[in-house]
Amino acid sequence: MFQIHPRLLADTLPLCGLTLCEVRLMNDRRFPWLILIPKRPAITAVHQLNLADQQQLISESSHASMALEQLYTPDKINVAALGNLVPQLHWHVVARRSDDPCWPGPIWGCGQPIAYTEAECAHHIATLQAWFNDD
């Protein structure tokens, strides 16, 4: 049975469901940052997905990247799957700007997350949900 890892639940906010993935917003206002979590139990790496799911993950990742690109006009979209702290397969899609606090280095281990305010959270979730629903 598919369940989202407790750390992902604690660090992210629900956004929407796609064909393969649950999409969640990382609760860190420093970066527009989506997490895609394939709805498959006991998967820890992309190669464990069947070919159709691998292709769907790439498609959904591209879709999420387009959302961040169009809504936030970043300088670069970073996509990664690390899994060092959370073994469940989850795909990071992060909009980066050359003036962000971690540029040009990676976001991991750079400073401390800054949670969205309630108003910011509501705004970003509504904006992203509208984008995903319109497409």
Side-chain angles (χ1 to χ4, degrees):
M1 181 171 140
F2 169 74
Q3 292 183 330
I4 297 175
H5 189 279
R7 174 126 187 204
L8 292 174
L9 289 173
D11 293 346
T12 63
L13 305 158
L15 189 59
C16 66
L18 302 176
T19 301
L20 175 67
C21 295
E22 288 294 321
V23 182
R24 298 182 67 89
L25 176 66
M26 181 63 84
N27 192 9
D28 186 349
R29 67 188 303 262
R30 299 176 302 158
F31 320 97
W33 182 351
L34 301 178
I35 303 290
L36 280 67
I37 308 163
K39 297 178 274 192
R40 301 292 183 262
I43 298 293
T44 61
V46 174
H47 70 272
Q48 295 170 342
L49 294 169
N50 65 44
L51 183 57
D53 283 350
Q54 290 175 25
Q55 292 170 336
Q56 187 66 33
L57 178 59
I58 294 299
S59 176
E60 292 180 8
S61 171
S62 295
H63 192 67
S65 295
M66 285 189 292
L68 293 181
E69 187 173 77
Q70 290 180 11
L71 295 171
Y72 298 98
T73 61
D75 296 309
K76 180 76 173 115
I77 298 288
N78 291 170
V79 178
L82 300 175
N84 295 344
L85 295 176
V86 175
Q88 179 179 27
L89 176 60
H90 60 289
W91 199 260
H92 299 264
V93 183
V94 187
R96 300 291 309 275
R97 296 186 55 85
S98 60
D99 61 354
D100 79 38
C102 301
W103 186 270
I107 55 175
W108 292 276
C110 177
Q112 294 297 316
I114 302 170
Y116 287 110
T117 65
E118 193 172 315
E120 289 171 331
C121 180
H123 169 75
H124 287 286
I125 287 176
T127 300
L128 286 158
Q129 285 175 337
W131 193 93
F132 278 99
N133 287 334
D134 284 346
D135 197 58

